[in-house]
Amino acid sequence: QVQLVESGGGLVQAGGSLRLSCAASGRTFSIYEGGWFRQGPGKEREFAAAINLSRGTTYYADSVKGRFTISRDNAKNTVYLQMNSLKPEDTAVYYCAAKSSAGRWDYWGQGTQVTVSS
């Protein structure tokens, strides 16, 4: 069907930057939005950012807007999340996801750990 693989997580100092990548394979024609979610320690998963894969329209959670930028390279079937001005509260496992034509986030990657130190 659709497979998603995240990469780019790691340890970064507060105020630093990190770029995450999400590569999609399989029936990629069946998805129209890519997005990023995150789950901090002891917290529920929350939405971070999304992009319409054809139009390039983006939207963000208030907690990350102005600091994070989502983009896509359709030729590479890849969505990116550029994270700047990172804060310790950004520490989380970050998951990429794809929304199907049914309007649901039906496809998920395995997650990549982002740790921001003080």
Side-chain angles (χ1 to χ4, degrees):
Q1 184 69 307
V2 174
Q3 297 81 43
L4 306 176
V5 179
E6 304 100 331
S7 62
L11 175 65
V12 66
Q13 305 276 328
S17 298
L18 207 60
R19 188 185 73 161
L20 306 183
S21 299
C22 176
S25 60
R27 298 168 61 88
T28 58
F29 57 84
S30 67
I31 60 177
Y32 66 91
E33 281 194 359
W36 290 93
F37 294 74
R38 64 186 187 178
Q39 186 169 15
K43 301 179 180 179
E44 295 184 352
R45 184 174 59 193
E46 66 174 352
F47 168 80
I51 185 167
N52 183 284
L53 297 175
S54 60
R55 303 186 186 208
T57 306
T58 61
Y59 54 101
Y60 300 90
D62 288 343
S63 58
V64 308
K65 64 183 178 182
R67 300 187 298 120
F68 291 10
T69 302
I70 187 170
S71 61
R72 86 316 201 200
D73 185 339
N74 287 345
K76 296 182 178 180
N77 291 132
T78 301
V79 172
Y80 304 94
L81 186 67
Q82 178 66 46
M83 305 184 294
N84 298 326
S85 301
L86 283 162
K87 307 173 181 179
E89 50 262 46
D90 295 319
T91 295
V93 176
Y94 283 71
Y95 299 90
C96 64
K99 185 178 288 186
S100 71
S101 60
R104 301 184 301 263
W105 297 103
D106 282 337
Y107 309 104
W108 295 85
Q110 292 296 310
T112 185
Q113 177 70 48
V114 172
T115 302
V116 184
S117 62
S118 300

